[in-house]
Every structure is written in C-alpha cells, then in structure tokens.
Amino acid sequence: MLQLNPPLPLNTPKGEGFAHFLIDYGPESDLYWTVFITATGEIWTFANHEVRASKNITLGRTHPQKPQPVPSEIHLPVPMYPVG
C-alpha cells in the first residue's frame, strides 16, 4: 500500500475525486485506487481499469473518457468446487 502525496485527481464511475492510496496485491492482480469522491465525500476503492486520469491541459489530456461501470456479468460468483 502506498500513500500518494500529493493525491492524484481521477475520474471514477462515482464521479471525480482524489486518489489518496494505491494498493498493489502483486503481479497477478489489478492495482487498486482508494479515491475520496469530491461531490459526496464518499471513499471508494476502484480497480485500475475502472479509473481514468483527470483532465490536464498542460499534458494535452483535454477530453479524458469517463470510465464506464463494469457490467455485472463480470462479477459472477466463483464456485467453491469444480464445475462439471
């Protein structure tokens, strides 16, 4: 776990916010960003594929795409025993 100093502005499925922590579970896992949502004050953790860097005119990032919510089909339960 890494505390980001300064926090990084990110676009998330819940709106814009600032990432304060980055969690890395290793090479076979996504990075996870803990983001404080600006509009609501909520704290959410998002997988790397769910967030995007915020607008930064200096770096030429003028129209970042809004992250799309992950379809519910991807979050299927994992069976506790072999299927078949």
Side-chain angles (χ1 to χ4, degrees):
M1 179 182 279
L2 175 68
Q3 182 177 0
L4 303 173
N5 187 14
L8 297 175
L10 292 179
N11 289 332
T12 75
K14 298 279 186 181
E16 293 183 355
F18 286 89
H20 286 264
F21 299 98
L22 178 62
I23 303 167
D24 185 356
Y25 287 110
E28 294 191 26
S29 179
D30 276 343
L31 295 173
Y32 289 91
W33 300 86
T34 300
V35 180
F36 295 17
I37 305 300
T38 304
T40 63
E42 295 173 312
I43 302 169
W44 287 90
T45 299
F46 299 97
N48 199 55
H49 68 274
E50 296 178 300
V51 298
R52 298 289 181 269
S54 292
K55 179 179 178 177
N56 187 322
I57 297 170
T58 303
L59 296 178
R61 201 169 43 246
T62 56
H63 297 89
Q65 296 177 2
K66 182 177 179 183
Q68 300 301 315
V70 177
S72 59
E73 297 84 16
I74 293 175
H75 298 291
L76 297 175
V78 176
M80 298 301 290
Y81 51 87
V83 177

